[in-house]
Amino acid sequence: MIALFFRDLKLSIRAGGGAMIGVLFFMTVVAVIPFGVGPDLNLLSRIGPAILWIGALLASLLGLDRLFQAERDDGSLDLMLMQETPLLFTVFVKCAAHWAATGLPLVIASPLLGLFMNMSEIAIGATMLTLLIGTPAVTFIGAVGAAVAVSLPRGGLLVSILVLPLAIPVLIFGVSAVYAAIEDPAPFLPPVMILAAITLFFAVIGPVAAAAALRHASD
Amino acid sequence: MRLMAEGLSAKRGEDLIFNDISFVLDASEALVVTGPNGSGKSTLLRVLAGLLRPESGHLKLENGPPEIAHPSELSHYLGHRNAMKRELTVAENLSFWHRFMGDSPGGRGATLTEAVEAVGLPDIAHLPFGYLSAGQQRRMAMAKLLVAYRPIWILDEPTAALDAGADRLFAELVKTHLGKGGIVIAATHQPLGLDRTKELHMKGFEHLAGDHWHDV
């Protein structure tokens, strides 16, 4: 299982891997916003957390469709289905590796992009923390979509459409937690707890559902 | 160890591909599946590998390890695709499968060096898999059969893209595997040059396909 984790990490860093694509997309989206909105610093800092979260959400959806499709294309998926190790562990490890390669860089890049949006230190810190807690949920939800669309040649957009409604709660609680951190009356902890709960929930449900979908897609 | 298939049939979509296939394979026996294109050889092998659910019938393993749920857990499956990543080196690919698959009870996989030597390509394990020619890629996919021990080998057109020398080398690998008490099921047109071989000739449902054609 550790071997699978490191293989997937290596693959995403090598040529043709998707590790940098997500971050570049994230940077592009966020860097363009100030030009579109105009030089209103107050407005930018007000919408900053939401923009960062939307950018991160879309960026983490970007490479998801290849999660199982690449394995299917070269026949590796067949071998993974045949093993004694339960498929859901395999799916879980693949999700973890995918998040480490594409989600974690988003978290690391977010402070820099927070500066673009004229955000305060607290807002940047809160955004980083909520992204760290919330983006794994997007990967686990996305794994289900990726598994359902595994045999479709152009499943990319379909995966995003399937996954987005389920990822909306992550976005809502992520953004509301950041606003709770910068605006005084609202408490910070409850939305963060709910966000963590969503991530844990999908960390269990996602691999189970994705494994079931892969089994049925195998013919 | 004894592998038994009883009354297997499979469908692709609505069409029955084959019907009522039964066979028994003891240790050290090979089954060669022949037949024209589209007669269901690959489908049968995918059923045997547990990748397709049979429409009827079942697959049983006698005298195998007790904790095995399906014979596929004791099987290697080499399909049309090689299950190797083009971006990784051959050594990385093989050591990944070695660690990921592990060995079945009752045997030990070859080390990486032994495996690439067995397929006759000891010098190119450091190259990315995508750099190799089609024949070399196929040989390295066979090295994958060696790095993790599995008593049952399910091989779909294993010798496609191979030259005559590699054909012999492959027959040698199969012979060694059978000699150690393994079971080999292969869909192939090439004679493997083995003595204890059973043959299954698949005819397909030509007449059914014909009827269907008239209806349309």
Side-chain angles (χ1 to χ4, degrees):
Chain A
M1 282 296 130
I2 301 165
L4 178 64
F5 182 83
F6 284 108
R7 179 190 78 144
D8 276 19
L9 266 191
K10 246 185 233 164
L11 276 173
S12 57
I13 296 164
R14 297 275 163 91
M20 293 315 288
I21 304 287
V23 190
L24 286 175
F25 178 79
F26 185 38
M27 287 183 160
T28 319
V29 169
V30 178
V32 163
I33 297 290
F35 295 107
V37 172
D40 182 346
L41 288 180
N42 288 331
L43 178 63
L44 277 181
S45 64
R46 205 163 66 242
I47 63 171
I51 296 293
L52 280 190
W53 251 98
I54 292 170
L57 178 67
L58 295 179
S60 46
L61 291 178
L62 205 58
L64 269 173
D65 59 313
R66 296 297 292 164
L67 185 59
F68 301 115
Q69 213 171 45
E71 303 288 351
R72 184 192 154 89
D73 287 349
D74 65 15
S76 303
L77 187 62
D78 288 340
L79 298 187
M80 290 174 180
L81 287 166
M82 286 169 64
Q83 300 314 309
E84 208 177 334
T85 13
L87 185 59
L88 81 112
F89 287 141
T90 308
V91 171
F92 184 86
V93 172
K94 280 192 72 65
C95 289
H98 184 266
W99 179 78
T102 60
L104 199 56
L106 299 180
V107 177
I108 295 166
S110 61
L112 176 71
L113 296 172
L115 292 178
F116 281 27
M117 301 301 291
N118 189 36
M119 284 158 64
S120 65
E121 291 88 347
I122 298 172
I124 288 174
T127 307
M128 220 178 149
L129 182 68
T130 53
L131 281 178
L132 184 68
I133 298 170
T135 44
V138 180
T139 306
F140 287 120
I141 298 168
V144 184
V148 169
V150 68
S151 56
L152 300 176
R154 295 221 171 265
L157 188 63
L158 183 68
V159 171
S160 307
I161 290 169
L162 282 175
V163 162
L164 212 50
L166 287 168
I168 292 298
V170 183
L171 179 69
I172 291 175
F173 286 105
V175 174
S176 63
V178 181
Y179 282 121
I182 34 183
E183 287 159 14
D184 239 352
F188 175 65
L189 213 51
V192 174
M193 296 297 237
I194 292 178
L195 192 62
I198 292 174
T199 299
L200 292 175
F201 179 74
F202 281 112
V204 176
I205 299 293
V208 174
L214 285 176
R215 284 238 179 263
H216 284 276
S218 69
D219 41 61
Chain B
M1 192 182 302
R2 166 182 277 204
L3 184 69
M4 297 163 62
E6 277 170 24
L8 288 178
S9 68
K11 274 184 176 176
R12 284 268 169 135
E14 288 300 303
D15 298 325
L16 208 55
I17 303 286
F18 56 80
N19 196 7
D20 196 21
I21 287 185
S22 308
F23 59 82
V24 177
L25 284 175
D26 283 310
S28 302
E29 280 190 327
L31 177 72
V32 175
V33 186
T34 57
N37 293 342
S39 59
K41 298 189 294 289
S42 297
T43 310
L44 173 65
L45 294 189
R46 287 186 74 81
V47 168
L48 296 178
L51 296 167
L52 265 181
R53 207 161 302 153
E55 190 65 21
S56 67
H58 53 268
L59 198 61
K60 262 196 318 201
L61 194 71
E62 278 181 2
N63 306 330
E67 68 275 16
I68 293 300
H70 189 279
S72 71
E73 291 167 14
L74 291 174
S75 306
H76 261 303
Y77 173 72
L78 179 61
H80 293 284
R81 290 163 295 189
N82 291 326
M84 305 276 263
K85 294 286 173 199
R86 302 178 56 81
E87 299 85 359
L88 300 181
T89 67
V90 175
E92 282 169 334
N93 268 305
L94 289 177
S95 75
F96 162 69
W97 285 118
H98 170 66
R99 289 169 62 196
F100 182 76
M101 294 178 80
D103 291 328
S104 291
R108 193 190 62 82
T111 64
L112 221 137
T113 347
E114 286 166 7
V116 291
E117 266 168 20
V119 296
L121 298 170
D123 304 324
I124 56 171
H126 62 283
L127 289 177
F129 187 70
Y131 285 12
L132 308 187
S133 76
Q136 288 174 325
Q137 290 188 341
R138 201 62 182 160
R139 287 209 214 180
M140 285 308 185
M142 284 172 186
K144 197 179 69 214
L145 301 173
L146 302 173
V147 291
Y149 172 75
R150 291 284 186 277
I152 305 169
W153 286 7
I154 300 171
L155 313 169
D156 197 356
E157 303 281 357
T159 48
L162 289 186
D163 55 28
D167 260 0
R168 279 195 299 279
L169 189 136
F170 173 67
E172 218 37 60
L173 289 183
V174 169
K175 223 176 262 178
T176 321
H177 181 64
L178 292 174
K180 283 192 272 182
I183 291 175
V184 173
I185 302 165
T188 178
H189 297 291
Q190 264 101 10
L192 288 172
L194 304 166
D195 0 309
R196 294 185 65 194
T197 320
K198 294 184 176 175
E199 192 169 328
L200 177 68
H201 185 71
M202 312 224 3
K203 294 198 184 78
F205 283 105
E206 285 116 348
H207 55 292
L208 284 186
D211 285 348
H212 183 66
W213 186 254
H214 288 303
D215 290 341
V216 176

